[in-house]
Amino acid sequence: MRIAIMGAMPEEVAPILKKLGEYKTTEYAKNTYYEATYKGVELVIAYSKIGKVFSTLTATTMIEHFGAEKLLFSGVAGAVSPELRVGDLVVANKLSQHDLDITAFGHPSGFVPEGAVFVEADASMIDLSKEVASEMGKSVKEGIIATGDQFVANEERKNWIGDTFQADALEMEGASVAVVCDALDVPFFILRAISDAADMDASFSFDEFMESSAIISAEFIMKMVDKVIDNNAK
Ligand code: ADE
């Protein structure tokens, strides 16, 4: 089995590479991919760079070039749900592109013909994440993640995204990765730890907490990888 682990920024994959210790580095399509053998399975790891286009390229490359059969994403997000605090974990059950807008033609936000407003994540990996959460004694919120090519630092925009997509958290890569995995029939799991509240203080909060929240997310993702491997061996 070959599993992809991706992030968007170096800080999101650094804790994973640190845990692996040894890996092979390959340059491909203007990005760096790290390959390692871990508990008998092949891992391919990369950070895409920020945004929907780069994350689409990286997810596609991990699947089509490196042969990934499952994909797990680890990173940080802005909270939309008022329940969520910095460091809290959110698992996406469905994802939408909040900046995909042809509403001028009467379509709903996030929709284009032959597409769908939401892409659903793999239910069995979400189930496994519940086992991981209880084993770690952590609470993880399952919810909707909205993605766009925009760092949201504005209460009005955040509330619009919350109202329009019932989103719990927002970020800049999840839904594009979801579209790729769904199209290529690769089960995927998108995890985020909150770094900010997508409000007027978001950039300061992000700068302060991005690295610590990325570590929280990466630790959980590695436990998820362990669980996926154990489950696959059954
Ligand atoms: N990732 C983390 N915080 C974010 C925010 N406020 N907007 C977009 N992406 C984010």
Side-chain angles (χ1 to χ4, degrees), residues 13 24 47 76 83 117-118 125 130 146 150 152 166 203 216:
V13 301
K24 176 180 144 198
Y47 71 89
V76 301
E83 278 174 35
V117 176
F118 292 103
M125 279 207 273
K130 290 176 186 157
Q150 182 178 62
V152 178
Q166 291 74 53
S203 57
I216 291 169

Side-chain angles (χ1 to χ4, degrees), residues 86 151-154 194-213:
V86 166
F151 184 84
V152 178
N154 172 307
I194 298 301
S195 57
D196 59 85
D199 55 8
M200 63 188 283
D201 299 322
S203 57
F204 305 103
S205 180
F206 181 90
D207 281 345
E208 189 173 348
F209 297 112
M210 182 270 282
E211 203 166 343
S212 55
S213 292

Side-chain angles (χ1 to χ4, degrees), residues 110-188:
F111 180 84
V112 291
E114 297 181 49
V117 176
F118 292 103
V119 179
E120 286 186 18
D122 182 66
S124 59
M125 279 207 273
I126 295 173
D127 286 346
L128 292 183
S129 75
K130 290 176 186 157
E131 290 178 28
V132 171
S134 86
E135 285 162 18
M136 290 178 81
K138 284 208 168 234
S139 73
V140 177
K141 183 173 175 62
E142 181 184 330
I144 296 175
I145 290 184
T147 302
D149 282 324
Q150 182 178 62
F151 184 84
V152 178
N154 172 307
E155 202 91 37
E156 207 181 316
R157 177 73 187 163
K158 162 173 111 160
N159 291 338
W160 179 84
I161 292 168
D163 293 343
T164 308
F165 300 96
Q166 291 74 53
D168 296 291
L170 56 82
E171 35 81 312
M172 302 179 70
E173 299 83 19
S176 40
V177 170
V179 168
V180 169
C181 292
D182 180 61
L184 296 172
D185 219 7
V186 167
F188 67 94

